[in-house]
Amino acid sequence: MGAWELLLVGVVLVVGLCGVLVPGVPGSWLVWAAVLWWALQDPQPVAWGVLVGATGVLLLSLVVRWALPPRRLRASGATPRMAVYAGAGALLGFFLIPVVGAVPGFMAGIYLHERLRLGRHGEAMAALRTTMRSGGSSVLAELFACLLIAGAWLGAVLWG
């Protein structure tokens, strides 16, 4: 597989990661489709392993999201800007504290947004709790699964 094709797969992965944060966009399915396309174009055992792992992680993510409360983020006061802060925090956390840092990074992004908007620690913490209870945990589960898949793909491309 050529460099341009790998770059295109990477772009679709990034669009899928961003799509997780946008209501109505099938972000996780874009991530999975990018990995599927890569595995079909580069039929190596590692590519098929990443595809099987991605499929398993997304199915597990669906089960976890089904068990969590339904998304009512708009009702909690979540804004697109908050989604950007949360997504950036999760991405930074994912790489700064490998893999597990996505969870505190996501929550730190929401907290930072609310702290800048409201100005007080107590109010920002209350807003963070409200957001996580009204669907933020569901978004986090989906985003974390997609970050795992994107990280596995990147590792496979660099490794192999």
Side-chain angles (χ1 to χ4, degrees):
M1 190 168 210
W4 286 108
E5 292 163 325
L6 286 175
L7 180 65
L8 191 55
V9 170
V11 167
V12 173
L13 282 168
V14 169
V15 168
L17 286 170
C18 293
V20 169
L21 301 170
V22 178
V25 177
S28 56
W29 294 111
L30 282 173
V31 168
W32 183 81
V35 172
L36 173 67
W37 180 33
W38 169 68
L40 290 173
Q41 297 298 318
D42 188 13
Q44 305 264 338
V46 70
W48 288 102
V50 170
L51 177 62
V52 168
T55 303
V57 166
L58 281 180
L59 289 175
L60 182 62
S61 163
L62 284 173
V63 170
V64 168
R65 286 184 295 157
W66 177 74
L68 292 170
R71 293 182 185 180
R72 295 181 308 271
L73 289 172
R74 288 283 178 204
S76 74
T79 63
R81 180 173 282 179
M82 180 189 291
V84 169
Y85 275 78
L91 185 63
L92 283 172
F94 188 81
F95 288 107
L96 291 176
I97 305 170
V99 182
V100 297
V103 174
F106 182 85
M107 293 178 13
I110 293 172
Y111 173 80
L112 178 62
H113 174 267
E114 292 301 310
R115 180 70 188 254
L116 292 173
R117 187 174 72 87
L118 300 170
R120 295 182 41 202
H121 170 72
E123 292 175 357
M125 286 302 293
L128 171 62
R129 281 190 298 276
T130 301
T131 301
M132 292 305 286
R133 286 184 187 135
S134 53
S137 54
S138 179
V139 173
L140 176 58
E142 185 177 2
L143 182 61
F144 187 70
C146 290
L147 282 170
L148 284 175
I149 293 166
W153 173 80
L154 185 62
V157 167
L158 294 176
W159 180 47

